[in-house]
Amino acid sequence: MNNHNPHNNNKGYFEIARESSTLSFDEFSEKYYQTETPVIIENIGENWSAINRWNEAYIREKLAQDSTAKAASLWYWMEKGTLEEDYQTPEIIEQLLASDDVFPRNELMRIWAHPQGNVSSWHYDANMVNVFNVQMTGKKEWFLVSPDTPLDCYPFTSFAIMDDNDEKIFNKKSYTHLILNQGDMLFIPPLWFHKVISLEKENLNLNWIFTKRKTDVVSSTLKRELDRYSLQSYLSNHRYQWVQNSFANINQNIPGYLRWKWRYPEMIETPVLPKSFGLMRLTLREIALLGKVALHANKIKPYIQSIRSIKKLKS
Ligand SMILES: [Fe+2]
């Protein structure tokens, strides 16, 4: 077990913790969930038929028969329990979902299907989700950077400015690197930056995702997120209707993974003191990075072209 706490602004590489699938809920909650520390729970899918049965054709055929499943831009959405004949929802997840500590949501499972060599560029997931990601088929290489040592993002987005040079990216960051093998589950806490590379011919991942109602873990990325959501709320309730309309229009016309909306009725509760929202301060901080954006602008187009959208489901 490593003693490196990836929070508290420690810098450098840390080895991700690995636990066996017998890890208890209480231990998981105390060591990883509450502290928002990543962990791999090994062999959780050891006895699941999905591990040998799942391939993309099988998944597509099954999901097409399920009226609650749908193809989002980059993944398939499904409700809890879908295809459960092939796997078992881990006890840790059952307990978290049964508690009052998370926001309820219908679509809380995703399936990703990636070909070999697919790269998901550096980003963090929206809505401060906790992600439980099982490698069902294939193998993936992951890099994680702590929200305490954030990467520079494109203004107002959660996508890091593309810079190909990971050596430079890791400079002064708290980060880890891992291979996720078939049957293993990776817990990605809220706001952790990640880059993922698909290693096998076919790579299928099953996710459970949900958002806590309250967090005690404060990072600079959390503060930035709270500012972004304040800006969202400011723009969508602006006293001029045209501002509201323009903002709604932009949001509707961008792909779902770039959309900018806190999806729950209330905001997550945090220890960050509510200070008056400074539109100017936030805007200046965000556009301060435009120089860096311009420097790496040539990398955006090829990356967008390389993103493989999920095919629609036929019913
Ligand atoms: Fe992600």
Side-chain angles (χ1 to χ4, degrees), residues 24 28 47 76 91 120 124 132 143 152 159 207 209 224 243 255 257 260 264:
S24 72
F28 171 75
N47 300 314
Y76 298 112
E91 189 50 35
S120 300
Y124 59 87
F132 295 81
F143 300 88
D152 290 339
F159 284 82
N207 294 177
I209 64 169
R224 176 176 184 257
V243 176
Y257 55 89
W260 214 44
Y264 306 103

Side-chain angles (χ1 to χ4, degrees), residues 75 110 112 120-121 123-126 131 142 188 192 194 196:
W75 58 82
R110 301 186 294 204
W112 298 82
S120 300
S121 189
H123 69 280
Y124 59 87
D125 289 8
V131 181
W142 284 76
I188 306 134
W192 279 70
H194 45 283
V196 194

Side-chain angles (χ1 to χ4, degrees), residues 239-258:
R239 62 197 162 112
Y240 294 129
Q241 191 63 39
W242 69 266
V243 176
Q244 290 186 28
N245 293 348
S246 316
F247 180 63
N249 226 329
I250 293 169
N251 248 341
Q252 265 160 27
N253 286 299
I254 55 177
Y257 55 89
L258 284 177

Side-chain angles (χ1 to χ4, degrees), residues 80-139:
K80 183 174 176 290
T82 308
L83 299 179
E84 216 172 14
E85 62 274 21
D86 292 343
Y87 62 86
Q88 204 180 0
T89 306
E91 189 50 35
I92 287 168
I93 293 169
E94 290 284 13
Q95 289 211 33
L96 287 171
L97 290 176
S99 74
D100 290 332
D101 304 338
V102 302
F103 288 110
R105 63 187 283 171
N106 290 330
E107 293 162 329
L108 59 85
M109 296 190 74
R110 301 186 294 204
I111 293 183
W112 298 82
H114 283 134
Q116 193 164 39
N118 182 84
V119 179
S120 300
S121 189
W122 285 106
H123 69 280
Y124 59 87
D125 289 8
N127 289 300
M128 302 187 206
V129 284
N130 293 261
V131 181
F132 295 81
N133 185 318
V134 182
Q135 191 67 46
M136 297 299 244
T137 304
K139 198 189 272 193

Side-chain angles (χ1 to χ4, degrees), residues 121-170:
S121 189
W122 285 106
H123 69 280
Y124 59 87
D125 289 8
N127 289 300
M128 302 187 206
V129 284
N130 293 261
V131 181
F132 295 81
N133 185 318
V134 182
Q135 191 67 46
M136 297 299 244
T137 304
K139 198 189 272 193
K140 284 187 179 176
E141 181 176 21
W142 284 76
F143 300 88
L144 293 169
V145 166
S146 163
D148 284 310
T149 57
L151 306 180
D152 290 339
C153 289
Y154 293 102
F156 307 109
T157 77
S158 58
F159 284 82
I161 299 171
M162 272 175 259
D163 179 350
D164 291 346
N165 186 346
D166 279 343
E167 285 306 312
K168 219 168 74 194
I169 278 179
F170 294 134

